[in-house]
Amino acid sequence: MINKLNRAFIFDLDGVITETSEYHFMAWKTVCKKIGYDLTRKKNEELKGVNRNKCLDMIMKWAKIRLTEKEIESLLEAKNNIYIDYIKDLNENDVCEGVLNFINDAIKNNIKIALYSASRNAKRILCQLKIIDLFTVIIDGNNVTNVKPDPEGFKIAADLTKTNTKDCVVFEDSISGIEGANKLNMYTVGIGSRDVLKNADVVYKGFKNLKIKDIINV
Ligand code: BG6
Ligand code: MG
């Protein structure tokens, strides 16, 4: 009997499938201003892939300030409201170039398609982009206890797609996401720049000219 390879692609959302990472940055930048902290793009790289609460913890450390529970809650709410406003008109035209062809090609080759995003807004965005049905497994910020760089979400995605972790390929734009997937020896494809995603197995600018045969043997 032919032992067919069982493989899964696990996609991050923000900054991989759609350019919402820029909106996260702009929303945090506005919130940081309120507490007198200037969030740079370089520092923002560390916030990518990290969940909302932990992002604010990191910002408080960088800004060397302490806030009350009430202030924290109010800043988290403010950040999300600003972000939600940015994404309110997001639609199918906002899927990054090449992503749909890439995923459809993978599906044709029997590769399982999963999503693991730290965002609690992930499903809403997938619906707005009209691509939610492409994913057989969706893990978002509501489904994990331990956030990236912890590998928990990647492990759940592998388990739910019934794929060995070593046969999973992860597409990530964040340092924390690459770190998490590397802990499970998944093959990591960085989307962005090699200067930032130093520990990814390979790095591509995006999906525009990327073919699945560039990543795995089909
Ligand atoms: C990740 C983003 O996908 O989701 C982070 O890279 C963001 O920047 C995190 O903080 C949480 O998102 P949300 O929508 O739940 O605040
Ligand atoms: Mg991301």
Side-chain angles (χ1 to χ4, degrees):
M1 205 167 91
I2 297 165
N3 189 13
K4 267 202 151 191
L5 269 178
N6 183 32
R7 292 179 288 205
F9 282 178
I10 306 171
F11 292 85
D12 175 45
L13 176 66
D14 301 307
V16 169
I17 286 179
T18 183
E19 288 305 342
T20 39
S21 51
E22 189 61 20
Y23 299 143
H24 279 296
F25 172 57
M26 281 151 47
W28 276 127
K29 184 129 182 122
T30 306
V31 166
C32 283
K33 251 191 207 144
K34 287 180 201 263
I35 54 170
Y37 180 70
D38 181 27
L39 178 67
T40 61
R41 275 187 186 275
K42 188 154 188 263
K43 245 5 202 167
N44 183 61
E45 288 300 334
E46 294 176 47
L47 297 182
K48 287 185 181 174
V50 174
N51 81 359
R52 211 178 301 165
N53 296 56
K54 197 176 164 200
C55 282
L56 188 52
D57 282 348
M58 291 164 75
I59 289 166
M60 287 191 297
K61 267 196 202 121
W62 297 337
K64 298 188 174 66
I65 56 160
R66 278 176 178 218
L67 298 170
T68 64
E69 280 304 312
K70 223 175 151 196
E71 287 167 330
I72 291 175
E73 219 170 274
S74 134
L75 286 179
L76 290 174
E77 199 186 325
K79 189 269 171 178
N80 197 48
N81 288 341
I82 299 166
Y83 179 68
I84 295 283
D85 199 48
Y86 279 129
I87 63 167
K88 70 177 186 305
D89 296 326
L90 213 66
N91 60 55
E92 60 258 60
N93 299 319
D94 294 302
V95 179
C96 293
E97 202 175 349
V99 166
L100 278 186
N101 280 345
F102 188 85
I103 293 181
N104 282 323
D105 205 17
I107 292 171
K108 269 186 221 143
N109 282 279
N110 297 317
I111 295 163
K112 291 166 187 160
I113 306 297
L115 184 117
Y116 171 34
S117 165
S119 174
R120 285 189 263 152
N121 293 299
K123 281 190 181 151
R124 164 199 201 124
I125 291 176
L126 292 174
C127 287
Q128 284 182 234
L129 299 176
K130 299 200 167 58
I131 56 169
I132 195 158
D133 294 339
L134 294 177
F135 298 88
T136 46
V137 167
I138 297 172
I139 315 293
D140 67 19
N142 300 300
N143 308 122
V144 290
T145 315
N146 303 299
V147 299
K148 298 174 189 177
D150 189 279
E152 182 186 351
F154 295 110
K155 179 74 172 76
I156 300 174
D159 289 348
L160 292 180
T161 54
K162 299 189 173 63
T163 311
N164 290 325
T165 50
K166 67 170 179 41
D167 297 321
C168 292
V169 180
V170 169
F171 299 85
E172 262 288 353
D173 71 321
S174 71
I175 300 166
S176 63
I178 296 288
E179 198 184 322
N182 279 346
K183 284 178 187 157
L184 297 172
N185 290 321
M186 292 178 168
Y187 187 72
T188 47
V189 180
I191 301 295
S193 107
R194 174 53 90 185
D195 293 345
V196 176
L197 304 171
K198 295 189 172 69
N199 296 325
D201 288 308
V202 284
V203 177
Y204 292 94
K205 280 205 171 67
F207 290 87
K208 196 173 164 195
N209 298 310
L210 194 62
K211 302 269 174 284
I212 62 170
K213 66 172 171 39
D214 298 327
I215 309 286
I216 56 167
N217 296 322
V218 285

